[in-house]
Amino acid sequence: SSAEGETGDSRLHAAGLDNSGNSGVGPRVTISDLYTQYPDSPAYDVYVYVGAERSSRVGSLEINGGDKKYFSTDGDDFSAHIEASATSAGESTTASYFHYRGITGSSFTVTMDNVSGTGTLLRGIQVVVPESSAVVLLGLGTVLLSLLRSRRRR
């Protein structure tokens, strides 16, 4: 159960994977077997939530070894969902998440690095399957449930 006044966002941003303050040694997380769960989905979106325990930290993130994107932090308290879009550390602005669109493959790897300051945190990863795939899966489940019920009645 959650404490009074605590929201899902505040719980999400209360902790995270730290790189122990070392530049170049960030958390690396691999998510795999996605096609086992969503076999009909050719592409999906990935949201990666980030933060830090202090303000004025700069970190970078990449997915599957692609181009890095950069973010800055405004402190430990979560204030708003702001998408990171900077392509260099010098352009980084305050952000709390990255959105990678159209990812394909049954697995992906997220790698984070501390660029300036210490304590940038990888707070969470969310995989979003296109709505049409989810609707198809829900529709198939409804059909199967209906078939099972009709067989039991016989």
Side-chain angles (χ1 to χ4, degrees), residues 52-73:
E53 295 176 351
R54 295 187 178 95
S55 60
S56 302
R57 305 300 188 237
V58 177
S60 68
L61 201 80
E62 63 184 67
I63 192 164
N64 292 335
D67 293 337
K68 287 185 179 184
K69 290 185 182 178
Y70 296 82
F71 70 100
S72 296
T73 63

Side-chain angles (χ1 to χ4, degrees), residues 5-23:
E6 194 174 62
T7 66
D9 286 334
S10 64
R11 287 193 310 268
L12 171 69
H13 290 276
L17 297 175
D18 192 347
N19 66 358
S20 301
N22 298 317
S23 183

Side-chain angles (χ1 to χ4, degrees), residues 24-141:
V25 187
R28 176 176 288 162
V29 176
T30 298
I31 307 293
S32 60
D33 294 327
L34 289 169
Y35 286 149
T36 302
Q37 297 297 317
Y38 304 103
D40 297 326
S41 181
Y44 48 89
D45 288 0
V46 176
Y47 291 83
V48 181
Y49 299 93
V50 296
E53 295 176 351
R54 295 187 178 95
S55 60
S56 302
R57 305 300 188 237
V58 177
S60 68
L61 201 80
E62 63 184 67
I63 192 164
N64 292 335
D67 293 337
K68 287 185 179 184
K69 290 185 182 178
Y70 296 82
F71 70 100
S72 296
T73 63
D74 65 354
D76 191 35
D77 294 332
F78 171 77
S79 57
H81 287 292
I82 303 168
E83 184 174 352
S85 61
T87 57
S88 72
E91 295 174 355
S92 67
T93 57
T94 299
S96 59
Y97 77 96
F98 292 79
H99 182 185
Y100 293 93
R101 294 159 179 87
I103 303 300
T104 59
S106 65
S107 66
F108 64 88
T109 300
V110 171
T111 304
M112 185 174 169
D113 189 19
N114 227 13
V115 176
S116 173
T118 59
T120 54
L121 301 169
L122 176 60
R123 301 222 189 246
I125 298 172
Q126 178 182 13
V127 177
V128 178
V129 177
E131 192 172 317
S132 60
S133 296
V135 170
V136 168
L137 290 173
L138 177 62
L140 288 175

